[in-house]
């Protein structure tokens, strides 16, 4: 039994070493573009999912407001339309397309709601809603938090905090 275990470990180690050997430069790795391509053909790139952080993404050319993203929300923008009214747009990849949100001032929840995206996960569905919320204290800043509600226990998951302008 001990010999069998040692042989299995040795075989695994040798297989790992053989897999890590460098390949010659004239052979491309599977799933990657060659190092040089003819000038008339662009290099292929693999599609990628949105970043896993809640930091604002770079705005597109001609777009003035920042966009916020994480694994469940993509291209979220907030535009102030009136004194206490905001227009929220974006895409979501959430269960059954249900997007939950709350607005906080750092201490209290001032508003909460639910909106429906045009498609449910795993597809990206567009959502758009108008939010009216008034500050309780003029010296506070408001934060919109988009999230998916856990089917398991109802807790917030995949939160995306977005500062309101």
């Amino acid at each position: 039994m001990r010999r069998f275990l040692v042989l299995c470990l040795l075989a695994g180690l040798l297989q790992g070493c053989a897999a890590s050997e460098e390949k010659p430069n004239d052979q491309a790795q599977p799933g990657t573009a060659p190092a040089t391509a003819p000038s008339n053909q662009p290099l292929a790139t693999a599609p990628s999912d949105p970043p896993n952080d809640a930091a604002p993404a770079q705005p597109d050319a001609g777009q003035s407001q920042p966009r916020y993203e994480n694994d469940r929300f993509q291209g979220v923008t907030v535009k102030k339309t009136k004194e206490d009214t905001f227009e929220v747009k974006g895409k979501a990849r959430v269960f059954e397309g249900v997007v939950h949100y709350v607005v906080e001032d750092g201490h209290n929840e001032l508003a909460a709601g639910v909106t429906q995206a045009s498609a449910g996960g795993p597809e990206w569905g567009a959502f758009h809603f108008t939010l009216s919320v008034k500050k309780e204290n003029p010296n506070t800043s408001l934060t919109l938090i988009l999230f998916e509600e856990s089917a398991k226990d109802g807790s917030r998951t995949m939160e995306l905090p977005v500062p309101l302008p």
Side-chain angles (χ1 to χ4, degrees):
M1 183 69 176
R2 180 177 263 176
R3 285 183 187 170
F4 178 74
L5 181 61
V6 170
L7 285 175
C8 287
L9 289 173
L10 184 59
L13 182 63
L14 290 174
Q15 185 178 8
C17 290
S20 66
E21 290 179 12
E22 285 190 25
K23 298 191 186 233
N25 285 341
D26 59 344
Q27 292 181 357
Q29 295 287 341
T32 61
T36 59
S39 60
N40 61 351
Q41 293 180 344
L43 291 176
T45 57
S48 63
D49 282 353
N52 190 15
D53 57 346
Q58 293 294 342
D60 292 335
Q63 185 180 18
S64 62
Q65 65 236 141
R67 298 177 333 157
Y68 296 86
E69 300 178 342
N70 67 10
D71 283 344
R72 293 288 187 254
F73 300 98
Q74 185 179 52
V76 177
T77 60
V78 178
K79 179 178 163 186
K80 189 171 187 173
T81 57
K82 295 181 183 173
E83 180 64 31
D84 298 322
T85 307
F86 303 91
E87 181 181 23
V88 182
K89 293 181 183 180
K91 291 182 181 178
R93 183 167 52 184
V94 293
F95 181 69
E96 294 185 350
V98 179
V99 177
H100 295 266
Y101 63 89
V102 296
V103 178
E104 298 178 348
D105 66 358
H107 302 288
N108 304 311
E109 284 188 8
L110 304 177
V114 178
T115 190
Q116 186 71 39
S118 62
E123 301 297 320
W124 287 100
F127 65 90
H128 174 255
F129 64 95
T130 302
L131 175 67
S132 294
V133 62
K134 187 172 172 87
K135 291 182 181 182
E136 290 180 353
N137 184 348
N139 295 330
T140 60
S141 59
L142 300 178
T143 303
L144 169 68
I145 301 173
L146 300 171
F147 61 95
E148 181 178 29
E149 193 172 80
S150 169
K152 182 178 176 181
D153 61 5
S155 64
R156 294 183 191 178
T157 61
M158 300 306 296
E159 291 185 340
L160 179 69
V162 179
L164 293 178

